[in-house]
Amino acid sequence: MPYVKFDTPAMANKATPAGFVAYMEKEDKLKGIDKEFWFNERDNYIPSHRIMEDIENQKGLGKNDTRYYTGSISFSEEELAFLNNDTKKLKQFGKAFIEEYANNFNKGLSARDVRFYLKLETDRYYKGTDLDVASGSKRTGMKKPGCNTHFHFIIGRKSWDEKKKLSPQSNHINTKTGAVKGGFSRDELKKRTEYLFDTKFKYNRPLEQTYQHYKSNCSRQDLKSRVKEKVLLADKTTSSLRYDYLTLEEKEKKLNVLVNYMQHGINKNNANPISIDAKSILDEAHKRNYNGDVYKALLNMNYRLKNGFKPTGDVTPYILEYAKFTGAPYSKLPQSMKEDRFMRFVQIINKQLPKDDRLDSIKLFEIEKQNHLNGKVYRALGEFNNLLSNEGAPKGAQTVILESLREKHTTPNLSSEENAKHHDTNIGNAISSVLKEFSLGNLNVGSSSDMEKPIKKKKRKLRR
């Protein structure tokens, strides 16, 4: 059965679809004049800039409204073989699909009412999450064998007349009353898409290939188990593809992507944009044999930028300086970097705590400064983090930390420096969990909403 998948890009309510549109042109460079254009029911040769203008010029959308959706339509090998992989027939099907999509909103819409663009691709490529890549038998970007013709599409949120907001991800299904009338049934669209293919091409579909057969022979519980299994497998596969496991070429590419994102992604609305010398970054990474120090330094800067840090000018020197200390324990850090690591560790802990019981990072660091940044409070955070891991979150997290500061923090039979290293190891494990999220490509770790200053409580004197 034709498989229809809808996606909601993470920044589809703020960013332009430039990244997606550019990615969809990856095959065009190889095909040259024979490249595939975007198309819809009106036009067969739509250039990318028209799609960008259409999506960006939609009117009547709020700042939190999703501006566009993306997705794909895939076919089985049997279906493609039946059509002899005839791209003209497939494009006819694509145009007819837009009509089914519009009808599915139950608002009396037709294909000419929706902003819908399709692009045909003939190849598929291995991704980092594919098992063959994880096992090392294939590399990211290699072409997959077999017949892999499919469609990608991008859809605008507003109808052409700007009067209706349309979402294929809506949870409303043919509702008659309330704020949302009509709705969208993805399940119904899948049935209609299969019926469209079979009737249009007179395809005698075997029973075991029908969508209804698939649903009838897969209970909801079995389906949940299968989905869970798939997710776990994907997580396992992805975790084995952290920065440390990439090839040198892939590491260099990952560094370039992160530098570009920091300058033109999260930083694009900054009145005083930052700059990063990509060549200096890559040269330093090369000198260190891409051991991850420079990558972690970039992640640190990325983390700070996402949480309100607004530097101006070239931040390359800061990144390169930070790279010298990524593996150093807290006790060995320059004073200028201790606050950065301290605050970041508090954020890591706060992510595990209820919103109404989070640590006051400002107050705790004031106490750390009173102790001449000797690591006393930092080590107390490490002990508290271990408590969280072993026993769960206690009530009154701030009080627990302050109470623990009244006691002796050094581990028996260890020198003060050895004790610091002992705690830094535990703390490093917690910090590595956030770095792992970044290395897996999750650039949204540590959003600004997590950096809100806690409500200041009345100061209480510490017993000496």
Side-chain angles (χ1 to χ4, degrees):
M1 61 184 179
Y3 180 71
V4 183
K5 177 187 177 185
F6 290 98
D7 302 312
T8 306
M11 295 295 289
N13 65 323
K14 297 178 182 177
T16 71
F20 175 77
V21 173
Y23 175 74
M24 290 310 306
E25 295 176 346
K26 58 185 179 294
E27 291 186 10
D28 294 347
K29 296 177 182 179
L30 300 175
K31 294 183 176 181
I33 195 171
D34 296 322
K35 72 176 184 178
E36 288 289 346
F37 283 85
W38 293 86
F39 71 95
N40 56 20
E41 84 295 341
R42 303 183 186 195
D43 197 339
N44 291 319
Y45 303 99
I46 304 175
S48 299
H49 71 84
R50 271 184 49 194
I51 297 174
M52 297 287 294
E53 291 170 1
D54 174 28
I55 299 298
E56 292 176 352
N57 292 334
Q58 295 176 99
K59 296 179 175 60
L61 289 174
K63 64 179 182 179
N64 294 320
D65 283 335
T66 297
R67 306 186 67 79
Y68 64 93
Y69 300 91
T70 61
S72 59
I73 308 173
S74 305
F75 305 91
S76 68
E77 291 187 13
E78 292 85 355
E79 290 166 341
L80 292 174
F82 178 76
L83 296 179
N84 293 318
N85 200 33
D86 188 326
T87 57
K88 289 184 178 179
K89 290 183 178 180
L90 286 169
K91 287 183 178 180
Q92 292 172 7
F93 171 82
K95 292 185 177 185
F97 173 81
I98 301 177
E99 188 71 28
E100 293 293 343
Y101 168 82
N103 288 335
N104 198 52
F105 282 101
N106 297 299
K107 296 177 183 289
L109 302 174
S110 70
R112 299 184 71 83
D113 296 314
V114 295
R115 303 169 190 262
F116 200 114
Y117 302 96
L118 287 152
K119 195 172 193 294
L120 183 141
E121 283 199 329
T122 55
D123 298 314
R124 289 191 183 277
Y125 304 87
Y126 285 101
K127 299 179 181 179
T129 52
D130 289 327
L131 291 176
D132 288 332
V133 175
S135 66
S137 61
K138 302 293 182 183
R139 291 184 60 186
T140 302
M142 290 180 64
K143 188 184 296 186
K144 290 186 175 182
C147 188
N148 292 301
T149 306
H150 61 285
F151 291 116
H152 283 277
F153 56 75
I154 184 168
I155 314 165
R157 179 65 183 275
K158 295 297 289 290
S159 58
W160 273 112
D161 62 7
E162 306 285 5
K163 293 181 179 180
K164 298 180 179 67
K165 292 182 181 179
L166 305 172
S167 170
Q169 299 286 38
S170 172
N171 292 322
H172 296 274
I173 300 176
N174 199 21
T175 54
K176 305 296 183 183
T177 59
V180 178
K181 295 182 177 63
F184 193 91
S185 171
R186 292 177 289 280
D187 185 67
E188 183 63 26
L189 182 63
K190 290 176 182 178
K191 296 177 187 176
R192 295 294 306 170
T193 303
E194 181 182 281
Y195 180 76
L196 172 65
F197 186 95
D198 295 350
T199 55
K200 190 173 188 62
F201 301 122
K202 297 180 173 54
Y203 181 61
N204 187 17
R205 184 176 301 279
L207 176 64
E208 63 273 12
Q209 291 183 18
T210 62
Y211 179 64
Q212 190 59 45
H213 177 81
Y214 169 78
K215 285 194 65 179
S216 299
N217 288 274
C218 181
S219 67
R220 289 189 63 82
Q221 189 58 43
D222 288 341
L223 181 59
K224 288 181 180 179
S225 299
R226 280 165 153 193
V227 171
K228 185 177 181 180
E229 183 179 341
K230 289 280 188 183
V231 170
L232 291 174
L233 179 61
D235 287 345
K236 184 177 180 181
T237 302
T238 306
S239 66
S240 67
L241 294 166
R242 299 200 311 270
Y243 180 87
D244 295 343
Y245 295 92
L246 299 176
T247 65
L248 293 183
E249 181 181 347
E250 289 170 335
K251 286 180 179 179
E252 184 172 316
K253 181 179 179 181
K254 200 173 188 74
L255 290 170
N256 264 317
V257 169
L258 185 52
V259 168
N260 184 64
Y261 172 79
M262 290 164 64
Q263 291 187 102
H264 307 295
I266 56 176
N267 187 53
K268 68 176 183 177
N269 294 322
N270 191 348
N272 299 302
I274 65 166
S275 63
I276 304 175
D277 186 345
K279 184 178 183 303
S280 297
I281 295 295
L282 293 176
D283 286 347
E284 184 65 25
H286 179 72
K287 289 179 186 177
R288 296 170 179 267
N289 199 28
Y290 296 92
N291 65 354
D293 289 346
V294 175
Y295 182 58
K296 291 175 183 176
L298 280 170
L299 295 178
N300 174 72
M301 177 56 72
N302 178 73
Y303 178 88
R304 297 189 69 188
L305 290 172
K306 290 178 71 66
N307 286 288
F309 180 49
K310 296 186 181 302
T312 57
D314 189 0
V315 297
T316 307
Y318 181 94
I319 295 170
L320 296 179
E321 180 68 15
Y322 191 92
K324 299 176 184 178
F325 297 94
T326 55
Y330 181 84
S331 59
K332 297 293 184 181
L333 291 177
Q335 288 193 4
S336 60
M337 292 186 182
K338 284 187 175 181
E339 180 176 1
D340 182 72
R341 185 175 291 187
F342 186 98
M343 292 298 188
R344 188 167 182 181
F345 189 35
V346 173
Q347 280 304 120
I348 294 170
I349 293 175
N350 276 340
K351 285 179 177 293
Q352 307 171 64
L353 297 173
K355 289 186 178 181
D356 60 350
D357 192 27
R358 291 184 172 175
L359 301 176
D360 185 336
S361 58
I362 297 175
K363 181 175 181 179
L364 290 174
F365 191 69
E366 282 297 321
I367 299 173
E368 178 78 343
K369 287 194 292 186
Q370 291 170 15
N371 284 281
H372 308 290
L373 301 176
N374 64 1
K376 184 177 181 181
V377 183
Y378 188 74
R379 291 191 292 274
L381 291 172
E383 292 180 352
F384 182 77
N385 185 67
N386 287 337
L387 180 66
L388 282 177
S389 302
N390 298 326
E391 302 178 20
K395 291 184 178 180
Q398 184 85 2
T399 302
V400 172
I401 294 288
L402 295 177
E403 289 291 338
S404 69
L405 290 173
R406 299 171 183 170
E407 302 172 1
K408 187 176 181 181
H409 291 293
T410 56
T411 303
N413 303 321
L414 291 179
S415 67
S416 60
E417 183 170 325
E418 290 173 328
N419 181 73
K421 290 182 178 179
H422 171 75
H423 285 285
D424 277 338
T425 299
N426 294 330
I427 294 168
N429 292 334
I431 294 177
S432 67
S433 67
V434 168
L435 292 181
K436 177 181 177 182
E437 290 295 319
F438 279 117
S439 66
L440 295 179
N442 180 7
L443 299 178
N444 294 315
V445 174
S447 63
S448 59
S449 61
D450 292 320
M451 293 295 290
E452 294 176 0
K453 292 183 180 180
I455 299 173
K456 290 189 176 182
K457 300 177 183 178
K458 187 176 180 181
K459 292 185 178 180
R460 52 182 286 191
K461 294 183 180 180
L462 297 177
R463 287 184 295 179
R464 300 185 181 275

